[in-house]
Amino acid sequence: MLELNGPTLPRRSRRAAVLLATGAAVTAALLGVSSVQANAVPTTAAATTATATAGKTAARAAAAPDISVANVKAHLNQLQSIANANGGNRAHGRSGYKASIDYVKGKLDAAGFTTSVQQFTSNGSTGYNLIADWPGGDADHVIFAGAHLDSVSRGAGINDNGSGSAGILEVALTVAKEGYKPGKHLRFAWWGAEELGLVGSQNYVRQLPAAERSKIDAYLNFDMIGSPNPGYFVYDDDPQLEGVFKDYFATKNIATEIETEGDGRSDHAPFKNAGVRVGGLFSGADYTKTADQAAKWGGTAGQPFDRCYHASCDTTANINDTALDNNSDAIAHAVWTLSSGSTTPPTGKVFESKSQVDIPDAGAAVESSITVGGVQGNAPGALKATVDIRHTYRGDLVVDLVGPSGKAYRLKNSSSNDSAADVTETYTVNASAETANGTWKLRVQDVAAQDSGHIASWKLTF
Ligand code: DTR
Ligand code: ZN
Ligand code: ZN
């Protein structure tokens, strides 16, 4: 690939690239796909076939899936690495906090969430809140889950509050993986500067118009959910929300207590003060576990729930996996239950195009179309787009799926250091905002000179 105004390739590989490109052009000529068509946006009639019979597509009330505690711990490992690389902490105003925001945002963007970063100033430093909305659901009824992402300056803050942050992140990613279609709108947030006095969440609530605030049916807060000597505490601010969590733990034969020390001590407080119904979970901080509590929860009586609270030893070693797992599953149960959504099972219907479309070297985008029909309702939140693109330097390629609405969903960005050939991938796209039936397009553009190729085939699985 020769970057425009970039370094030139050594002659051998340039010659090889030229031969391959010519080869593609020869292939195209044999197939009657003219070079003019390659540069224009061809109106290739797609060879679409429904190759599978539809399963029942009736939506069903969805039960929350299990949340992978291994995935939650993988997020904690990332946050630990971020702290290690940034002075040992992820505190407000420090590089480790912004790096934490960037990590979480990257995961959510890739999963199809609509994210925004809200900035604020505290103690002379810029702070950040990350807000993530799952497209769909009744916008007038929002189920909101939040956790503060900042640590104290003394340590990595893995339990306080990497645990809550990782727990809601994995729940959000599971929403996407499941293609969950909530009846109510789902929103997630990672707050900044909680340790300075709930600064980020207060900033968010303060700037939220009253009309938007009134749409929040519930705000659920998760601050410390993996304490090493854990308790199972449920916020008692709202009886119904408290009941959702208590009922869940009862099905797991886990005793709970109401959370008594937390009033005003975490990010649910600004929401509660603004009249929003709040709930949440907590596994304990520096208070001491009693003998009675140890009898029902295990662990060590006479010791704090988290002896590393606000200390440098709050690392990935400071986590009880069972508590992290149980609480992450309880978060998912609450999100699914309160959003009363459904998951439309995959129909199994496949629509495919095998029309070859040439991709001009460093040229205009080309498109291949598929017309979808006979699928009820909207496309799934986990629509599978399988592409087979032949190209001698796939880093040149930008690939989008364009829905019937005309909205483009980015499948692949270009990359100056991906010299491998061909793009043969299956992408999962949250296309739940699109009607299933209509014309879908695969749009491909080669954005760098000296390599070319063609779309060989692609298909959509509903
Ligand atoms: N203030 C929180 C930790 C904390 C202490 N008690 C509670 C009760 C409920 C939620 C959180 C807390 C912090 O240090 O981040
Ligand atoms: Zn704290
Ligand atoms: Zn905390």
Side-chain angles (χ1 to χ4, degrees):
M1 178 273 293
L2 176 68
E3 284 187 30
L4 302 179
N5 307 322
T8 55
L9 293 171
R11 178 171 300 284
R12 179 175 46 79
S13 51
R14 287 179 68 187
R15 187 172 59 79
V18 169
L19 282 178
L20 281 167
T22 305
V26 168
T27 306
L30 291 174
L31 290 170
V33 177
S34 69
S35 57
V36 170
Q37 191 175 11
N39 287 316
V41 176
T43 54
T44 313
T48 56
T49 50
T51 55
T53 52
K56 276 213 43 71
T57 57
R60 61 173 182 262
D66 176 68
I67 300 302
S68 159
V69 70
N71 289 354
V72 179
K73 285 171 68 70
H75 300 314
L76 293 182
N77 290 334
Q78 288 292 329
L79 295 178
Q80 179 70 64
S81 299
I82 288 169
N84 296 346
N86 289 276
N89 69 71
R90 299 179 307 100
H92 166 74
R94 309 291 182 82
S95 55
Y97 179 71
K98 183 62 170 58
S100 302
I101 284 280
D102 293 344
Y103 169 73
V104 175
K105 184 178 189 297
K107 289 288 186 183
L108 293 161
D109 287 340
F113 279 81
T114 303
T115 61
S116 62
V117 176
Q118 179 186 67
Q119 290 192 13
F120 58 88
T121 301
S122 181
N123 276 12
S125 298
T126 301
Y128 306 91
N129 292 327
L130 171 63
I131 316 298
D133 285 275
W134 179 242
D138 180 351
D140 291 332
H141 293 277
V142 179
I143 301 300
F144 200 153
H148 76 86
L149 186 57
D150 63 310
S151 74
V152 293
S153 55
R154 267 184 298 243
I158 297 305
N159 186 38
D160 182 18
N161 183 38
S163 63
S165 296
I168 66 169
L169 172 59
E170 191 56 28
V171 168
L173 297 178
T174 304
V175 164
K177 264 183 287 193
E178 292 284 311
Y180 180 50
K181 287 184 177 177
K184 295 186 176 183
H185 182 77
L186 296 183
R187 181 170 300 148
F188 298 83
W190 289 262
W191 306 117
E194 186 272 350
E195 299 290 6
L196 279 68
L198 321 183
V199 177
S201 55
Q202 279 178 344
N203 184 72
Y204 176 83
V205 172
R206 193 180 303 126
Q207 58 76 41
L208 193 64
E212 290 306 307
R213 204 167 55 216
S214 65
K215 294 175 183 175
I216 302 173
D217 285 2
Y219 171 74
L220 308 175
N221 193 63
F222 304 101
D223 184 355
M224 301 177 73
I225 66 168
S227 301
N229 188 24
Y232 289 89
F233 298 99
V234 178
Y235 292 15
D236 64 340
D237 306 82
D238 177 276
Q240 191 234 344
L241 299 179
E242 177 189 351
V244 170
F245 288 114
K246 289 181 74 160
D247 292 350
Y248 172 77
F249 282 117
T251 66
K252 303 296 178 186
N253 296 317
I254 296 173
T256 56
E257 290 185 10
I258 59 170
E259 198 292 301
T260 54
E261 63 170 276
D263 284 355
R265 288 195 63 172
S266 192
D267 295 303
H268 57 301
F271 288 88
K272 182 173 184 179
N273 296 338
V276 174
R277 295 170 59 203
V278 302
L281 297 174
F282 176 57
S283 55
D286 49 355
Y287 280 36
T288 300
K289 180 181 277 186
T290 66
D292 286 349
Q293 290 171 330
K296 61 184 165 184
W297 290 329
T300 310
Q303 291 295 317
F305 294 102
D306 180 356
R307 65 178 185 76
C308 290
Y309 175 59
H310 286 186
S312 59
C313 55
D314 187 3
T315 66
T316 47
N318 187 50
I319 290 290
N320 178 288
D321 291 2
T322 303
L324 186 68
D325 191 8
N326 288 332
N327 284 323
S328 297
D329 289 335
I331 296 169
H333 171 78
V335 166
W336 258 255
T337 300
L338 292 168
S339 63
S340 60
S342 62
T343 299
T344 304
T347 67
K349 277 191 171 181
V350 176
F351 296 82
E352 188 168 15
S353 168
K354 293 183 175 176
S355 306
Q356 177 171 320
V357 177
D358 272 1
I359 306 162
D361 184 17
V366 293
E367 293 179 347
S368 172
S369 300
I370 287 179
T371 301
V372 171
V375 178
Q376 276 186 325
N378 280 17
L383 175 65
K384 302 294 183 192
T386 305
V387 305
D388 179 2
I389 302 170
R390 310 296 167 82
H391 197 276
T392 47
Y393 195 105
R394 69 182 176 205
D396 289 3
L397 300 181
V398 173
V399 184
D400 289 312
L401 174 66
V402 182
S405 71
K407 178 179 177 180
Y409 299 81
R410 180 53 49 89
L411 303 183
K412 177 193 175 296
N413 289 312
S414 61
S415 162
S416 58
N417 57 15
D418 183 357
S419 60
D422 305 337
V423 180
T424 50
E425 287 290 341
T426 294
Y427 300 93
T428 300
V429 180
N430 171 19
S432 56
E434 300 284 341
T435 58
N437 296 328
T439 300
W440 296 76
K441 296 173 182 170
L442 185 70
R443 179 180 295 158
V444 183
Q445 185 172 15
D446 179 331
V447 296
Q450 201 161 4
D451 286 84
S452 61
H454 63 273
I455 301 171
S457 69
W458 70 290
K459 66 181 177 183
L460 294 172
T461 304
F462 285 78

